[in-house]
Amino acid sequence: MCGLAGWVSFQRDLTTTSHTDIASAMTHTMECRGPDGHGLWVSPRAILGHRRLAIIDLKGGKQPMAPFAEHVLDEDDQPVIAYTGEVYNFRELREELQSLGHEFRTTCDTEVVLRSYLEWGVDFADRLNGVYAFAIWDPRTEELLLVRDRMGVKPLYYYPTADGVLFGSEPKAILAHPDVEAVVDAEGLREIFSIVKTPGHAVFQGMYEVLPATVLRFTREGRTEQAYWTLQARPHTDDLDTTIARVRELLEDIVERQLVADVTVGTLLSGGLDSSAITALAANAYRKQGIQDPIRAFSVDFKGHGERFEANVQWADPDTPFAVAVAAHTGVEHEIVTLDNEDILSDEVRSTVLRAQDLPVSTGDMEYSLLILCRKLKERMTVALSGEAADELFGGYTWFHDKEAVELESFPWHHPFEKAGGIGALKTIGLWDRLGLTEYVKERYTQAMDEVPRLEGETGLEERMRERTYLNLTRWEKFLLDRKDRMSMAASLEVRVPFTDHRLVEYVYNTPWEFKSFDGREKSLLRAAMRGVLPESVLNRKKNPYPATQDLGYELALRERVEKILVEGAPVLQIVSESEVRRLLDAPEGAYCVGGPWSARAVMERLIEFNTWVTEYRVRVEF
């Protein structure tokens, strides 16, 4: 997916060595996102930096890129782009631009995006289908454009300065600038511990995230913001059978488009409905295209997990048998990555995860196992397709089907957060009340509900489920997409997410809840669309989250790590006291065997991470 960084100053001369050295250091922080190449474009008012992960046109897609010159080393009057992501309709756009007289020097989508800007101006973003985040500097008008994809799959951050702006794919790029201090105030802490994922909020003081589907424009006169797409409520006129067929048709087209690459492509396969659907459709697309080699699918498991597994409120059964069944049914080449406690307790793995996320926001051991899985995939491929975002769109989570969660006047995922002990753990250590999280969550929930696109005349359960779906698509989904992006990019692996295609999102968002649950189960619509493609055992399987270890040994190791951070002067003691944390440790052994983002164990993980984060990032906590 690549990584970018940059600096615009309307008062300084950025061509001096000291300034280019700073921009180079900012760009270097993105090395894991782009190990295959790097570039720095320098002019008096703007510097664009880029790290490349080569996917399409491996030789010709060097960046930053201008439309005409083979190598852009100094300022001229041509717009320049630093681009990350993939535009899946770039071939159609390329043909259209060629018919309008454009001559291309590469076959990559980056040049298509830049020439689209030249041809159609700032409105070009609405023509793009894909996941992307990019910067365009136009010397003709001394204007910077920052653009992000519709669903916010690819990250992009910015930090306004007195005379311009700093920007980067991740916060670390901006924090590498000597004028930026890593400061986190009470509101930043609330964002970390509340699990609300406020759009645009970057936690660090003075830093922001570019909103999805937005073009930000920076000139000498200041900043303007323009949304080029919004999710809208529309009447759904198709009957159930037509709707099922349309979902299948859209998914087939989306997956086929997202298999386009000049490198090896595979899939992440959990054995659940979503990843199994993507894997099966990818295998079918390969056969349709006459590709002889089977697509490769990878799964993760924990040593002894099958024998040790106990069903609970989150997990009904272990994943591996279902992943194996899907692989056999679809004919893909399947590999299971088996982990043990030492793997996910590794100091190197944990340090990498924290560095990748820039924040102490881990949801237990899930990030660690995901990083290791992505590293394993990277040994065999550069691109993988994943099933993220189906649950939010089709209604897969328990909180779509639990009456209490549906009626809860708060974010629905806070219902399992309460049930599984996460909120209780935050209250036990005093953080919930000390940070005023009840009030903060209420404020953010009200803000989110005010945004919901509503259909005139829609009432009752249909109206409520539209609201629940919108909250999931715009908040919880972003939390998971961020996690997948950071862990995969830390392994220099591009992960594509077909369920975020805006055409599918628009269609399914406006499909009645009656259709989405027509057989009385979660994800009825997706299940029906995949009938005949997947084995019945997978079609009938209950939704499971991403796997987490239930090993008591892992819990005991976490307890030891919490003990070690409870020393005088420890950064974590800025927000909690030793006696409060010891209340967590007083729980009997086995109390934290079940992980997941809602668990008390995840709270323990975050306290450990917080302690390291403050030290390594030199965070000044204002609390």
Side-chain angles (χ1 to χ4, degrees):
M1 284 295 183
C2 307
L4 65 84
W7 183 5
V8 169
S9 173
F10 294 108
Q11 295 179 8
R12 312 186 209 193
D13 179 2
L14 296 183
T15 61
T16 65
T17 301
S18 60
H19 292 135
T20 57
D21 285 349
I22 290 170
S24 182
M26 293 170 64
T27 306
H28 182 69
T29 65
M30 298 292 97
E31 183 175 10
C32 64
R33 298 186 75 93
D36 299 329
H38 62 89
L40 200 68
W41 183 90
V42 180
S43 74
R45 295 290 168 259
I47 301 178
L48 271 62
H50 189 266
R51 297 289 316 199
R52 188 183 185 208
L53 180 64
I55 303 293
I56 295 174
D57 191 356
L58 305 187
K59 293 183 179 180
K62 297 176 182 178
Q63 297 189 52
M65 179 184 288
F68 306 116
E70 182 63 27
H71 297 288
V72 180
L73 301 176
D74 51 27
E75 185 188 24
D76 53 29
D77 62 355
Q78 302 174 51
V80 181
I81 188 171
Y83 168 86
T84 73
E86 304 292 341
V87 168
Y88 301 123
N89 65 333
F90 78 97
R91 288 172 172 169
E92 296 96 318
L93 289 172
R94 180 188 176 92
E95 290 178 2
E96 185 176 0
L97 288 164
Q98 285 175 324
S99 72
L100 294 170
H102 287 263
E103 296 181 3
F104 286 81
R105 64 182 177 87
T106 74
T107 58
C108 69
D109 56 339
T110 304
E111 187 177 5
V112 171
V113 173
L114 182 54
R115 290 185 178 278
S116 294
Y117 167 69
L118 288 171
E119 180 65 35
W120 296 300
V122 72
D123 294 331
F124 77 107
D126 187 49
R127 295 172 176 264
L128 308 180
N129 177 334
V131 294
Y132 44 80
F134 56 87
I136 294 177
W137 171 252
D138 195 334
R140 301 170 301 180
T141 56
E142 287 197 330
E143 180 178 50
L144 173 74
L145 273 64
L146 298 181
V147 184
R148 197 169 178 213
D149 66 74
R150 290 172 179 81
M151 296 303 293
V153 177
K154 291 292 102 184
L156 187 55
Y157 295 83
Y158 67 99
Y159 185 97
T161 64
D163 67 338
V165 65
L166 305 169
F167 52 95
S169 294
E170 297 175 9
K172 64 174 66 67
I174 296 170
L175 294 172
H177 194 288
D179 291 346
V180 180
E181 183 183 5
V183 179
V184 176
D185 57 19
E187 183 171 303
L189 293 175
R190 293 183 189 110
E191 194 68 21
I192 288 172
F193 287 100
S194 62
I195 312 187
V196 298
K197 189 54 180 172
T198 304
H201 205 301
V203 176
F204 294 103
Q205 210 172 78
M207 191 185 300
Y208 305 91
E209 191 172 25
V210 177
L211 291 171
T214 297
V215 177
L216 278 181
R217 304 170 74 177
F218 294 86
T219 65
R220 289 180 179 273
E221 285 68 45
R223 179 181 80 218
T224 59
E225 186 175 300
Q226 174 183 332
Y228 63 87
W229 177 85
T230 56
L231 187 57
Q232 297 179 358
R234 300 188 181 99
H236 186 80
T237 56
D238 292 341
D239 62 19
L240 179 58
D241 288 342
T242 305
T243 300
I244 292 169
R246 179 58 178 159
V247 168
R248 172 76 167 270
E249 178 187 2
L250 280 168
L251 281 171
E252 287 176 339
D253 177 69
I254 292 164
V255 169
E256 187 169 351
R257 285 177 180 272
Q258 296 196 17
L259 288 171
V260 173
D262 294 333
V263 294
T264 304
V265 181
T267 70
L268 292 159
L269 174 62
S270 72
L273 176 62
D274 314 335
S275 65
S276 299
I278 298 304
T279 298
L281 292 174
N284 287 347
Y286 263 37
R287 283 189 284 271
K288 177 182 174 183
Q289 295 169 26
I291 299 174
Q292 298 299 315
D293 295 333
I295 199 160
R296 295 167 177 169
F298 283 74
S299 306
V300 68
D301 199 0
F302 297 94
K303 187 176 180 179
H305 184 63
E307 297 78 24
R308 202 166 43 237
F309 180 84
E310 291 184 12
N312 56 69
V313 67
Q314 296 185 69
W315 286 274
D317 42 39
D319 286 332
T320 298
F322 296 94
V324 170
V326 171
H329 186 83
T330 58
V332 301
E333 182 182 314
H334 186 217
E335 183 171 337
I336 301 170
V337 179
T338 304
L339 309 177
D340 58 25
N341 287 343
E342 286 70 26
D343 295 319
I344 54 179
L345 287 167
S346 159
D347 289 338
E348 184 276 328
V349 167
R350 287 173 173 259
S351 176
T352 301
V353 165
L354 179 58
R355 183 67 181 164
Q357 296 190 127
D358 289 317
L359 295 170
V361 292
S362 287
T363 53
D365 59 275
M366 296 176 174
E367 284 76 9
Y368 312 128
S369 62
L370 181 56
L371 171 66
I372 298 168
L373 177 61
C374 288
R375 284 176 169 177
K376 191 68 176 178
L377 265 73
K378 179 61 178 177
E379 295 174 4
R380 303 281 296 276
M381 62 194 64
T382 305
V383 177
L385 273 60
S386 176
E388 249 81 12
D391 287 307
E392 292 81 0
L393 186 58
F394 288 94
Y397 295 118
T398 56
W399 56 74
F400 278 102
H401 306 274
D402 184 305
K403 190 171 184 291
E404 286 185 17
V406 170
E407 295 177 351
L408 184 69
E409 288 300 333
S410 187
F411 296 104
W413 51 91
H414 278 206
H415 185 260
F417 194 19
E418 178 80 62
K419 294 284 187 183
I423 290 178
L426 288 174
K427 290 179 177 178
T428 295
I429 60 178
L431 262 186
W432 187 269
D433 293 332
R434 192 173 297 122
L435 290 174
L437 292 182
T438 296
E439 295 77 14
Y440 186 73
V441 170
K442 182 178 180 181
E443 174 190 347
R444 294 306 189 189
Y445 174 72
T446 301
Q447 174 189 0
M449 289 290 283
D450 288 342
E451 300 171 7
V452 177
R454 300 180 185 279
L455 189 63
E456 185 177 354
E458 190 174 64
T459 59
L461 181 62
E462 288 292 343
E463 179 185 33
R464 189 60 169 175
M465 298 315 293
R466 182 182 294 275
E467 294 169 350
R468 303 294 93 177
T469 301
Y470 183 83
L471 295 177
N472 276 271
L473 288 173
T474 60
R475 268 71 177 176
W476 177 242
E477 180 178 299
K478 301 303 179 284
F479 181 79
L480 298 182
L481 289 174
D482 275 0
R483 178 176 74 180
K484 182 59 67 69
D485 172 83
R486 301 305 194 278
M487 294 308 101
S488 60
M489 285 287 91
S492 302
L493 175 76
E494 176 179 301
V495 171
R496 298 176 178 178
V497 277
F499 287 109
T500 62
D501 186 292
H502 72 280
R503 297 170 298 159
L504 181 69
V505 172
E506 289 174 337
Y507 187 76
V508 179
Y509 176 71
N510 286 298
T511 300
W513 181 251
E514 178 186 6
F515 284 10
K516 293 180 187 177
S517 58
F518 72 87
D519 62 0
R521 298 195 56 192
E522 78 278 2
K523 291 186 285 196
S524 306
L525 194 55
L526 180 59
R527 201 179 305 277
M530 291 299 104
R531 196 160 298 280
V533 177
L534 294 173
E536 286 296 317
S537 61
V538 174
L539 287 172
N540 294 323
R541 188 186 181 201
K542 183 180 180 293
K543 156 70 185 173
N544 268 11
Y546 182 82
T549 182
Q550 295 183 7
D551 191 347
L552 176 61
Y554 183 78
E555 176 193 324
L556 297 178
L558 278 187
R559 288 173 177 267
E560 289 180 11
R561 291 180 182 230
V562 173
E563 285 278 4
K564 288 179 180 179
I565 68 172
L566 296 179
V567 297
E568 186 176 351
V572 74
L573 298 182
Q574 296 178 61
I575 60 171
V576 294
S577 70
E578 179 181 348
S579 61
E580 287 170 331
V581 176
R582 290 200 178 280
R583 292 176 197 161
L584 278 183
L585 298 178
D586 287 341
E589 288 186 5
Y592 307 131
C593 269
V594 177
W598 327 113
S599 64
R601 190 170 89 186
V603 174
M604 294 172 67
E605 298 271 17
R606 288 195 178 196
L607 292 178
I608 297 167
E609 270 195 332
F610 183 91
N611 202 65
T612 306
W613 174 66
V614 171
T615 302
E616 291 191 358
Y617 277 71
R618 299 179 181 177
V619 177
R620 178 157 58 87
V621 179
E622 294 185 345
F623 175 58

